[in-house]
């Protein structure tokens, strides 16, 4: 009998269970999909480095999943709190009809299990479908292949999901039974007649606190924009503290301020049901300001996390695709080697790195079709700098109104001297990749910068410092002063900034280079030749890589292949993207669920008030509109504040991402906004429709 009553309650009140069911099913879906990545990757044909990246991702997700389970457990308990509160009067009727608390608790247990089992099954089915999508998405990002149609099911992920959510249901059952057993019959019967106590605040005080909150938030924004995140000092911590206090004061005072603001226009205040809506909002925000502030903070973290994750991942990929012009780069730092060679042919032979490669790699000509050696020189035979002017001094003499992050870079993080590169070597590099070289007069030079994010800075430097002295000669920057050819395949953001390309005769003969790079092109398809080239380099120099530089072993290479960089970047993209989505989705669901349950609870408490409005003659459309405004404002306020905070923070993050990758955050921001609108907006719609249904069933929505 009790099971029949419980199942009947679930069937009749399914709309009331909708947010609870949706949150559970969505949580199960996401938890299973991300937990099954190992089995998804098992069917993909990936390189060893990519598989290691997947293993690292699984380890990271395993730790994050503990946090996710705690969050989902909190949401399930919070959702049940709403359901229990919603049905106090129903429980009181059960007790009046002769049931004892034990039987009422049994009904609650059966209801929770029924909804939980259905949500678990539905979530697993959805998660199975999502995991298939993720498998093909993973294959696309790794540029891996799948042999035919594959249906991947992960028994371990399924078992972990069932175990975790069974634990959550167990905690929920204990909470429900404990809560119901503590109620007294008189409290249950009169539950719908008890209003929440509202602490009244002085409206003038609310206005003063609101103004103070806006000032604090404005000062925090200005501090962050002026000093960024990288400048030494208390600026970032101060901005964080100010915006935190300002946000708390904002939501603490907004109800009274908003009411006073609307009351200033009697036409607006007395129009329709605006008076009722404003009083309801004032009452609710007045008591729930702390939870709304926490929701705002979680929305801020979710938006920034998802957007930054997508930007970094996308930026690294795009920068590497654009920057890997060569198939392989071998980099060495032979500073001081010149002192160990005698003047003459021996020294010249020692610096012919390409000849050394030919001698050390038996099948060199079969693997490589072209190679160019480029040297950077920084000191003379007396260990004195070839260019006396430092990069920091150039920045100090340049009026450049860049971002706070760029200013930090200019203010003291670059004390190194400018290096010199012969123009013939730069032109050989251009010729190898089919680019046009440059011509320099005897007194001209170029500034070599392959970091696109610093182009504007160096253009300002060369314009305001038109000449520089190198090796005792005064050189003028050419008409087009910036050379942008990649120096080597090293990083996503570039590998050289602040080298001077000069006529060959500027550099004294017999000097040893500070940096030597050999850029090579494969004799065939990059993906096919790369394993053979990597093996050949390792066989020739593997024993001495990373050791001290000696005459017999020189050069000690740091080999980097474009194919390896791209594969590593694809793995990093998967890790960062999945983490951003995983954490972002859970935080957004958490925020939306908390707001939805608060509004559903409010609607349940106010059904009698809406019934009175209907009895007084309020039309159904007016009541629906009042409910829509109330729910909409409640959802919109924390989102608007979070978006404002995120816009300022992301503008600073954008400077850092641009410096690292040359990629702007705007594209990812559009995708993040769409992502938030769909997920957050979906919960808003469910909340409004469920609230409207409650009011209509109570008689408060009669036409």
């Amino acid at each position: 009998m009790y099971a029949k009553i419980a199942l009947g309650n679930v069937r009749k009140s399914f709309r009331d269970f909708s947010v609870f069911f949706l949150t559970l099913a969505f949580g199960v879906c996401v938890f299973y999909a991300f937990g099954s990545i190992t089995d998804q990757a098992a069917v993909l044909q990936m390189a060893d480095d990519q598989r290691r990246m997947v293993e690292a991702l699984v380890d990271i997700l395993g730790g994050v999943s503990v946090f996710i389970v705690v969050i989902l457990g909190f949401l399930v308990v919070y959702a049940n709190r709403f359901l229990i509160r919603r049905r106090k009067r129903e429980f009181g009727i059960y007790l009046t009809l002769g049931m004892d608390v034990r039987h009422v608790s049994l009904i609650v247990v059966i209801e929770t299990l029924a909804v939980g089992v259905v949500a678990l099954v539905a979530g697993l089915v959805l998660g199975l479908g999502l995991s298939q999508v993720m498998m093909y998405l993973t294959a696309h990002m790794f540029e891996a292949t799948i042999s035919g149609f594959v249906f991947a099911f992960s028994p371990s992920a399924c078992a972990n999901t069932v175990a975790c959510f069974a634990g959550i249901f167990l905690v929920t059952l204990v909470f429900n039974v404990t809560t119901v057993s503590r109620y007294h019959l008189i409290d249950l019967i009169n539950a719908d007649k008890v209003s929440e106590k509202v602490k009244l605040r002085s409206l003038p005080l609310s206005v003063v606190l609101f103004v103070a909150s806006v000032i604090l938030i404005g000062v925090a924004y200005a501090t962050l924009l002026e000093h960024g995140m990288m400048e030494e000092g208390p600026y970032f911590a101060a901005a964080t503290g100010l915006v935190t206090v300002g946000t708390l004061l904002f939501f603490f005072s907004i109800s009274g301020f908003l009411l006073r603001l609307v009351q200033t226009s009697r036409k607006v205040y007395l129009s329709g049901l605006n008076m009722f809506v404003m009083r309801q909002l004032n009452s609710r925000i007045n008591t729930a300001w702390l939870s709304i502030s926490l929701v705002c903070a979680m929305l801020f973290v979710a938006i920034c996390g998802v957007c930054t994750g997508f930007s970094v991942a996308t930026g690294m990929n795009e920068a590497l695709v654009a920057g890997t012009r060569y198939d392989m780069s071998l980099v060495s730092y032979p500073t001081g080697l010149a002192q160990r060679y005698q003047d003459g042919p021996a020294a010249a032979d020692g610096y012919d790195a390409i000849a050394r490669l030919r001698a050390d790699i038996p099948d060199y000509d079969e693997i490589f079709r072209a190679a160019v050696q480029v040297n950077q020189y920084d000191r003379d035979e007396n260990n004195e700098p070839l260019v006396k002017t430092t990069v920091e001094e150039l920045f100090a003499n340049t009026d450049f109104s860049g971002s706070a992050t760029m200013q930090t870079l200019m203010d003291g993080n670059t004390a190194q001297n400018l290096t010199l590169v012969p123009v013939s070597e730069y032109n050989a590099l251009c010729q190898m990749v089919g680019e046009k070289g440059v011509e320099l007069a005897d007194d001209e030079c170029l500034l070599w910068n392959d970091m696109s994010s610093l182009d504007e800075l160096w253009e300002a430097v060369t314009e305001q410092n038109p000449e520089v002295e190198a090796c005792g000669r005064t050189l003028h920057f050419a008409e087009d002063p910036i050379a942008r050819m990649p120096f080597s395949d090293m990083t996503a953001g570039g590998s050289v900034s602040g080298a001077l390309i000069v006529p060959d005769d500027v550099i004294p003969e017999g000097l040893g280079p500070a940096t030597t790079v050999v850029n090579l092109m494969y004799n065939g398809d990059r993906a096919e030749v790369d394993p053979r080239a990597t093996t050949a380099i390792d066989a020739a120099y593997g024993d001495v890589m990373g050791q001290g530089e000696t005459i017999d072993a020189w050069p000690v290479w740091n080999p980097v292949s474009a194919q390896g960089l791209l594969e590593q970047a694809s793995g990093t993209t998967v890790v960062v993207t999945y983490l951003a989505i995983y954490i972002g989705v859970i935080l957004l669901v958490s925020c939306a669920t908390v707001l939805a349950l608060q509004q559903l609870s409010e609607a349940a408490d106010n059904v009698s008030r809406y019934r009175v409005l209907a009895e007084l003659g309020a039309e159904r459309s007016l009541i629906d509109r009042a409910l829509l405004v109330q729910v909409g404002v409640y959802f919109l306020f924390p989102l608007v504040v979070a978006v404002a905070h995120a816009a300022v923070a992301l503008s600073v993050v954008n400077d850092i991402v641009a410096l690292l990758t040359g990629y702007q955050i705007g594209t990812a921001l559009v995708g993040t906004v769409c992502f938030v609108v769909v997920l957050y907006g979906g919960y808003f719609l469910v909340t409004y429709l469920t609230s409207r249904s409650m009011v209509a069933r109570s008689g408060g929505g009669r036409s």
Side-chain angles (χ1 to χ4, degrees):
M1 179 183 73
Y2 298 110
K4 185 177 181 181
I5 293 175
L7 295 177
N9 287 340
V10 172
R11 186 175 59 255
K12 290 184 296 183
S13 303
F14 187 76
R15 291 178 180 176
D16 295 345
F17 285 93
S18 58
V19 172
F20 176 54
F21 178 84
L22 180 63
T23 301
L24 271 180
F26 198 84
V28 171
C29 170
V30 173
F31 194 85
Y32 170 82
F34 282 91
S36 64
I37 287 179
T38 302
D39 294 282
Q40 297 170 24
V43 301
L44 302 180
Q45 299 176 6
M46 296 187 297
D48 292 339
D49 290 342
Q50 293 174 328
R51 291 197 177 279
R52 284 193 290 270
M53 193 66 73
V54 171
E55 293 172 1
L57 172 62
V58 171
D59 292 339
I60 295 173
L61 289 179
V64 173
S65 293
V66 176
F67 165 74
I68 299 302
V69 168
V70 173
I71 293 294
L72 290 175
F74 164 77
L75 289 180
V76 171
V77 172
Y78 195 86
N80 266 273
R81 180 187 175 191
F82 157 71
L83 293 175
I84 296 297
R85 182 181 177 182
R86 171 83 173 88
R87 302 171 62 202
K88 281 184 179 180
R89 182 174 176 81
E90 177 187 338
F91 295 152
I93 293 175
Y94 288 155
L95 294 176
T96 304
L97 293 176
M99 288 187 188
D100 56 25
V101 174
R102 181 166 49 89
H103 291 139
V104 174
S105 299
L106 178 60
I107 292 176
V108 173
V109 167
I110 296 173
E111 290 175 354
T112 305
L113 285 175
V115 176
V117 169
V118 175
L120 183 61
V121 173
L124 285 174
V125 172
L126 293 174
L128 193 59
L130 179 60
S131 68
Q132 307 307 306
V133 175
M134 288 178 59
M135 180 176 63
Y136 285 93
L137 179 62
T138 304
H140 172 71
M141 288 192 288
F142 273 124
E143 296 184 358
T145 57
I146 303 176
S147 300
F149 176 77
V150 176
F151 183 80
F153 174 72
S154 176
S156 60
C158 182
N160 289 336
T161 303
V162 173
C164 289
F165 279 86
I168 292 175
F169 293 152
L170 180 61
V171 173
T172 304
L173 290 177
V174 173
F175 173 82
N176 287 346
V177 171
T178 303
T179 302
V180 172
S181 63
R182 289 179 177 176
Y183 286 142
H184 299 290
L185 179 59
I186 187 65
D187 296 328
L188 295 175
I189 293 297
N190 295 317
D192 59 342
K193 300 178 182 178
V194 178
S195 300
E196 186 175 11
K197 293 182 180 179
V198 178
K199 296 180 180 179
L200 298 176
R201 298 195 187 102
S202 167
L203 288 181
L205 176 62
S206 296
V207 174
V208 171
L209 291 178
F210 176 83
V211 173
S213 71
V214 173
I215 293 174
L216 288 175
I217 293 174
V219 172
Y221 286 176
T223 303
L224 186 61
L225 291 174
E226 182 179 355
H227 299 282
M229 296 182 179
M230 299 173 61
E231 184 173 340
E232 294 184 3
Y235 303 109
F236 180 69
T240 303
L242 288 173
V243 79
T244 301
V245 175
T247 302
L248 289 171
L249 285 179
F250 179 85
F251 288 111
F252 181 80
S253 62
I254 188 63
S255 57
F257 174 80
L258 193 63
L259 179 61
R260 173 57 61 89
L261 181 66
V262 176
Q263 284 178 335
T264 57
S265 174
R266 299 187 63 82
K267 181 178 180 181
V268 174
Y269 184 64
L270 300 177
S271 175
L273 297 179
N274 288 349
M275 183 191 302
F276 173 79
V277 171
M278 290 307 305
R279 290 289 179 179
Q280 290 293 102
L281 285 172
N282 182 67
S283 171
R284 190 57 185 164
I285 298 178
N286 205 9
T287 57
W289 64 272
L290 183 59
S291 63
I292 297 177
S293 300
L294 293 176
V295 166
C296 177
M298 293 200 320
L299 283 172
F300 166 76
V301 173
I303 294 171
C304 290
V306 172
C307 190
T308 303
F310 283 151
S311 298
V312 171
T314 306
M316 286 181 59
N317 271 345
E318 292 192 357
L320 280 175
V321 170
T324 49
R325 300 289 298 274
Y326 323 114
D327 292 332
M328 177 177 280
S329 295
L330 303 177
V331 183
S332 181
Y333 304 94
T335 302
L337 186 64
Q339 283 73 25
R340 287 179 278 180
Y341 281 99
Q342 301 296 325
D343 293 338
D349 290 343
Y351 292 119
D352 192 347
I354 297 176
R356 187 62 179 269
L357 288 171
R358 289 182 183 276
D360 293 339
I361 301 175
D363 50 354
Y364 174 90
D365 290 319
E366 297 178 11
I367 299 175
F368 305 106
R369 65 174 175 83
V372 171
Q373 177 178 344
V374 180
N375 299 311
Q376 288 189 51
Y377 300 87
D378 65 349
R379 294 187 177 271
D380 61 18
E381 65 276 3
N382 298 319
N383 203 31
E384 294 294 327
L386 298 176
V387 183
K388 303 296 184 182
T389 305
T390 65
V391 174
E392 187 176 18
E393 290 171 348
L394 284 178
F395 287 171
N397 295 329
T398 302
D399 182 15
F400 180 74
S401 58
S403 64
T405 303
M406 189 73 73
Q407 293 294 335
T408 300
L409 177 66
M410 295 172 61
D411 287 343
N413 293 335
T414 51
Q416 74 271 17
N417 292 86
L418 295 168
T419 59
L420 302 180
V421 177
V423 67
S424 60
E425 294 177 358
Y426 179 81
N427 285 336
L429 203 59
C430 295
Q431 183 179 1
M432 185 175 69
V433 295
E435 296 285 347
K436 183 180 179 181
V438 297
E439 295 183 4
L440 292 178
D442 291 341
D443 64 343
E444 286 187 329
C445 65
L446 297 176
L447 192 290
W448 195 351
N449 172 60
D450 63 5
M451 301 180 184
S452 59
S453 58
L454 299 180
D455 277 349
E456 292 185 6
L457 169 60
W458 282 116
E459 287 173 357
V461 168
T462 55
E463 180 180 353
Q464 298 177 39
N465 302 271
E467 62 181 38
V468 63
E469 186 173 331
C471 300
R473 290 170 57 173
T474 300
L475 302 176
H476 303 271
F477 287 108
E479 183 177 354
D480 187 6
I482 309 299
R484 298 177 175 84
M485 180 67 62
F487 178 69
S488 65
D489 293 336
M490 287 294 289
T491 62
S495 55
V496 66
S497 183
L500 294 178
I501 299 175
V502 299
D504 290 18
D505 60 359
V506 171
I507 302 172
E509 295 183 1
L511 289 183
T515 304
T516 294
V517 61
V518 176
N519 293 312
L520 303 110
M521 304 299 288
Y522 293 155
N523 193 10
D525 182 77
R526 175 185 286 179
E528 295 178 1
V529 180
D530 186 72
R532 186 180 177 187
T534 303
T535 301
I537 295 295
D538 184 64
Y541 304 107
D543 293 337
V544 295
M545 288 179 186
Q547 301 178 13
E549 298 171 3
T550 65
I551 295 175
D552 294 334
W554 189 84
V556 181
W557 295 118
N558 177 23
V560 179
S561 72
Q563 186 67 23
L565 282 176
L566 293 173
E567 289 177 355
Q568 184 180 12
S570 66
T572 304
T573 298
V574 174
V575 172
V576 174
T577 301
Y578 281 178
L579 278 176
I581 294 175
Y582 195 26
I583 297 175
V585 165
I586 295 302
L587 288 178
L588 281 174
V589 168
S590 302
C591 297
T593 301
V594 169
L595 293 177
L597 293 175
Q598 287 180 345
Q599 278 304 289
L600 290 175
S601 178
E602 180 77 0
D605 290 343
N606 289 329
V607 290
S608 60
R609 295 181 175 89
Y610 286 106
R611 190 185 308 119
V612 170
L613 288 176
E615 292 172 353
L616 291 175
E619 298 178 356
R620 170 72 178 270
S621 59
L622 284 177
I623 294 177
D624 288 347
R625 188 179 304 117
L627 192 60
L628 178 63
V629 171
Q630 184 176 336
V631 176
V633 169
Y634 204 77
F635 268 77
L636 195 61
F637 257 132
L639 180 61
V640 169
V641 176
V643 168
H645 292 352
V648 176
L650 288 174
S651 67
V652 178
V653 171
N654 181 62
D655 297 333
I656 300 175
V657 173
L659 282 175
L660 294 175
T661 67
Y663 179 78
Q664 297 295 324
I665 214 168
T667 304
L669 183 59
V670 174
T672 302
V673 170
C674 295
F675 174 71
V676 171
V677 167
V678 171
L679 190 57
Y680 194 76
Y683 266 85
F684 160 72
L685 185 61
V686 170
T687 303
Y688 167 67
L689 294 177
T690 304
S691 300
R692 190 177 68 172
S693 175
M694 286 183 186
V695 173
R697 292 202 309 271
S698 71
R702 291 177 294 183
S703 301

